[in-house]
Amino acid sequence: MLDWAGWRLERMPALPRTAWFELPPDWVCEVASPSTAAFDRASKMPLYAAGGVRFCWIIDPVVRTLETYMLERGRWLLVETFRGDAAVRAAPFDAIELDLGALWSRPAKAT
């Protein structure tokens, strides 16, 4: 199961009236966990590449990282790895700044 996916407006100007999308997404994002990280990378990413997905992100909340990949000639190229609470610009959303710190759970404040 895929965690998140997105389509450029130019490719999908309106949602289809079907229970599924036949058009592969432009971007996918997997939230890795200790039990799924290897499967996401070794099994899912090759499927996304074969389907023509152009961008893939792997978010790992345990180590607080965002890995960004771009499809180049049918293979995934690691573009950049971000970590911690950085403010980042990552393709395909590099027109906006994303606050990675908003992704990680915060410890409860002591009372």
Side-chain angles (χ1 to χ4, degrees):
M1 177 172 261
L2 173 64
D3 294 318
W4 293 326
W7 289 258
R8 296 187 61 88
L9 191 57
E10 299 84 36
R11 291 187 59 233
M12 187 183 286
L15 291 176
R17 295 184 181 267
T18 60
W20 65 90
F21 300 156
E22 293 187 15
L23 183 66
D26 296 295
W27 165 83
V28 294
C29 180
E30 294 288 347
V31 178
S33 70
S35 64
T36 65
F39 183 74
D40 292 341
R41 287 180 175 87
S43 298
K44 289 179 162 184
M45 287 181 70
L47 291 175
Y48 299 149
V53 175
R54 295 204 47 232
F55 298 95
C56 180
W57 289 6
I58 305 284
I59 294 174
D60 189 327
V62 174
V63 294
R64 296 183 177 193
T65 59
L66 164 63
E67 297 171 3
T68 62
Y69 296 87
M70 184 170 41
L71 192 64
E72 287 285 332
R73 291 182 229 141
R75 300 188 68 165
W76 290 112
L77 170 67
L78 176 62
V79 176
E80 196 157 0
T81 301
F82 301 98
R83 67 179 181 172
D85 294 338
V88 304
R89 293 181 182 270
F93 305 111
D94 45 346
I96 59 170
E97 190 171 84
L98 304 170
D99 175 16
L100 283 188
L103 298 177
W104 323 131
S105 63
R106 305 274 185 210
K109 291 184 179 180
T111 55

